[in-house]
Every structure is written in structure tokens, then in C-alpha cells.
Amino acid sequence: MSRRRTLALPSWLPVDAYILALIGTVVLAALLPARGTAADVAGGASTGAVALLFFLYGARLSTAEALDGLKHWRLHLTVLACTFLIFPLLGLASGGLVPYVLTPELQAGFLFLCVVPSTIQSSIAFTSIARGNVPAAICAGSFSSLAGILLTPLLAALLLGSTGGGFSADSLLKIVLQLLVPFLAGQFLRRWVGGFLARHKKVLGLVDRGSILLVVYTAFSEGMVAGIWHQVTPARLGGLLAAEAVLLAVMLALTWYGARRLGFGREDRIAIQFAGSKKSLAAGLPMASVLFGAHASLAVLPLMLFHQMQLMVCAVIAKRRSRDPEPERGPEPESVRNREGAGPGPVSDPAVTVTS
């Protein structure tokens, strides 16, 4: 009796199945965009999917454990400063690339990328591979995602203004109703639904990913119907990739060497580098659909490209760090002494293990 084989991607391929699913969804939207009644149905389903995602975020986050993780506050403040201060400042600097390298629409998407929270799962995975402070990476990613619920829309409103697809009081109301209210409802109901979510983690992971694919399809369909994709020429796309490569290189260097100047040890520096230099596709896509409306397809293009770039580069860095010689053991740093109980359980990032 022959054993059944399962289809798996080669281990050397730097693109995982979920990224391929995202690309396939974009291609489907380009070939068969939702129009008319179908667009209304897809839009309504997308709105519901976004609310469901943030309800699940809230239901999975243990507030008590997150507060316990504040013991290593210097590291978490460093990551938050990188994510919501330094990244946005670099995003503002990208305004000098308009109109020579980026169009105003692509620059708005580039700036939105810079205000999105950090990842959770991939930060943990790479920190673990590199033999860094995994509990700190768990806490840092969780705090960044929690802060992003409020800070990402506020920073987008402040920095993007009218370029953010007509950002207005109505947009802020949508953010509250579609993002904040479901998140708070999840937190409130966590004591009753938390056990169910833990028991059905794999199934709900598929729900998460399917919801994000629906959001991507709806956003790119609206872009196709509106005819905005003629603005993205190969030269503009190349310029965007170059700008993102510079952004990633600057943040990787700044988080590594800056953390050393701040007195962090090797394990903490690894956690800071991976949590402080990365952006969450899973959190950014639903937010973009609310903030940008019909312009969401161009707004999320920089984030989707940066996401794949950061995974490929950080995978190489993590493997190189894993080959570093074991440091001589001196007095234990504060982060090691505080590890017991320092990390909350991870908030599930809907993408697969290293694609959050």
C-alpha cells in the first residue's frame, strides 16, 4: 500500500505557500475583479472579515500576561520607538523621492508601511533561530500589535492627511467600529471563548488567512475597476523596491548597533533587531482597507513587497547569527534574570509561522 504524498514547497524556496496565495489573489483580482453587485457583496464580506480578525486578536491576547511582560520595559520601549517613531520619520523623508522615484500614491503607501506595527510570529521564529531572547521577542511583538490598534490609525491620520484616500472623521469612525470595538469585545469575551480558540487554533488560523485573502481581493478589485494600476510602471516599481531595500538596511543596522550603544546584550539585541525592523502584513492589510478605501490596492503594495523582502533578508541574518560562537558567561543581564514569567503567549499573527 503506497503512502500518500503531500504537496510541499522546496525548503530552499524563499517564498512560502501563504505568500504565493497572496500573489494568486492579486492575479485573480486583476483578471476577474468584482464589479457591481459582486463588488458590494465582496465589500460587505471584507468589512465583516476585518471585524472578525480584530475580534480574534483581542480574544487571544492575555492582558494579565502582557502586563507581566512589562518587567523588561527598556527593551520594549526601544522596539516601540523603532516601530512608531524612527520608521515614520524615515517614511516622511521618502517624500523627497516624489515625483522622481515614487508617485504620490506609492509614497503614501510607503509612509503607511512605516506606521504599521511589528510582527509577532516571524520575529519570534528568527529570534529563536539566532539564539536571541525569545521571551522578549514575544512581549515586544505583542505590545507592538496592541499599540498599533491605536497608533497606526492616528499616525496615518496625522502624517497622511488628505493623501490617505480622503482620510476624514468618517474614516476615524470606521476605525473605531471595525477595529477597536471588535478588539475590545474580544478582550471582554476572552474568559469565555479563550479556551475554544486555543482548542481550535489550526482551524482559526485558516479563518484568519482566508479573511486576509478576501481583504486583498476586495482591495485590488477596487483598484482595477478604478483604473489606478496604470500608474505603476516597471520603473516606478523598481524605484519602490530600491527605496524599501534602503529602508530595511537602515533599520537593521540601526536596531543592531543602536541597541549595542544603549547597553543591551547580544540576546536582547537580536530580539530588538528582528522585532524593531519588521512590519506586519497581517495587521497592515485590514487597516489599509479601512483607511484607504478604493485606493487600498496601491497603499498595500509597498507593504506586501517589504514583507517578502524582510523575510528573505532576516532569514539569512538569523542563520548567520546562529553560527556565532557562544559568549562567555558573565553576570546575568536584567533580561535573563527577568525571563521567568516575562513573556505573554503570542498573539496569533494570521500568516504562517514566518510570514506575519
Side-chain angles (χ1 to χ4, degrees):
M1 184 175 179
S2 61
R3 295 178 63 184
R4 182 179 296 178
R5 290 188 174 184
T6 57
L7 182 62
L9 294 174
S11 59
W12 50 264
L13 193 64
V15 181
D16 67 37
Y18 190 66
I19 293 296
L20 293 179
L22 284 169
I23 295 173
T25 302
V26 172
V27 173
L28 177 63
L31 298 177
L32 297 171
R35 300 174 184 272
T37 303
D40 294 336
V41 172
S46 178
T47 299
V50 170
L52 175 62
L53 280 173
F54 279 83
F55 173 82
L56 293 176
Y57 290 163
R60 288 166 177 156
L61 178 62
S62 172
T63 306
E65 291 177 340
L67 292 175
D68 188 52
L70 287 173
K71 292 177 181 178
H72 202 5
W73 60 271
R74 286 183 65 246
L75 185 147
H76 304 317
L77 284 181
T78 301
V79 172
L80 289 174
C82 291
T83 304
F84 297 114
L85 179 60
I86 298 176
F87 253 116
L89 289 175
L90 293 174
L92 285 174
S94 70
L97 301 177
V98 180
Y100 312 104
V101 178
L102 302 177
T103 64
E105 292 77 13
L106 286 178
Q107 196 272 331
F110 188 93
L111 185 52
F112 173 73
L113 148 72
C114 291
V115 301
V116 169
S118 178
T119 65
I120 300 176
Q121 298 284 30
S122 55
S123 295
I124 297 168
F126 289 135
T127 300
S128 177
I129 292 170
R131 295 186 288 112
N133 189 339
V134 175
I138 294 172
C139 279
S142 299
F143 293 147
S144 179
S145 294
L146 182 59
I149 300 293
L150 294 175
L151 290 181
T152 295
L154 291 177
L155 286 171
L158 177 65
L159 302 181
L160 289 168
S162 60
T163 63
F167 201 95
S168 62
D170 182 60
S171 299
L172 289 175
L173 180 60
K174 288 182 179 179
I175 291 164
V176 171
L177 294 178
Q178 293 185 40
L179 307 184
L180 188 57
V181 169
F183 178 83
L184 294 176
Q187 279 280 284
F188 177 75
L189 296 174
R190 185 180 186 278
R191 68 169 64 183
W192 295 286
V193 302
F196 175 83
L197 296 179
R199 291 192 300 271
H200 298 83
K201 190 173 182 180
K202 290 185 178 180
V203 175
L204 290 172
L206 295 176
V207 173
D208 286 341
R209 283 169 249 163
S211 298
I212 291 176
L213 293 178
L214 177 60
V215 170
V216 170
Y217 175 75
T218 303
F220 277 82
S221 289
E222 291 177 347
M224 289 298 299
V225 173
I228 62 176
W229 278 98
H230 68 276
Q231 304 172 32
V232 187
T233 64
R236 296 293 191 187
L237 188 60
L240 175 62
L241 287 171
E244 292 191 336
V246 172
L247 175 67
L248 181 59
V250 169
M251 290 306 302
L252 286 170
L254 189 61
T255 50
W256 182 251
Y257 295 106
R260 183 171 66 180
R261 291 294 299 270
L262 290 174
F264 289 101
R266 176 188 177 277
E267 293 186 353
D268 289 347
R269 289 166 65 196
I270 288 172
I272 290 171
Q273 183 176 53
F274 289 129
S277 65
K278 298 166 81 264
K279 292 294 183 176
S280 174
L281 184 69
L285 287 176
M287 290 183 180
S289 70
V290 177
L291 296 173
F292 292 90
H295 299 272
S297 55
L298 276 183
V300 301
L301 180 62
L303 177 59
M304 292 179 68
L305 295 176
F306 186 83
H307 174 81
Q308 182 58 28
M309 185 184 297
Q310 72 185 10
L311 290 181
M312 296 170 66
V313 173
C314 289
V316 173
I317 293 175
K319 289 179 181 179
R320 292 188 62 181
R321 298 259 187 265
S322 69
R323 295 192 291 267
D324 289 347
E326 288 285 350
E328 295 184 5
R329 292 294 179 183
E332 286 187 330
E334 178 187 355
S335 61
V336 176
R337 293 195 303 269
N338 287 339
R339 276 195 187 182
E340 286 298 322
V347 179
S348 176
D349 214 337
V352 288
T353 303
V354 292
T355 62
S356 56

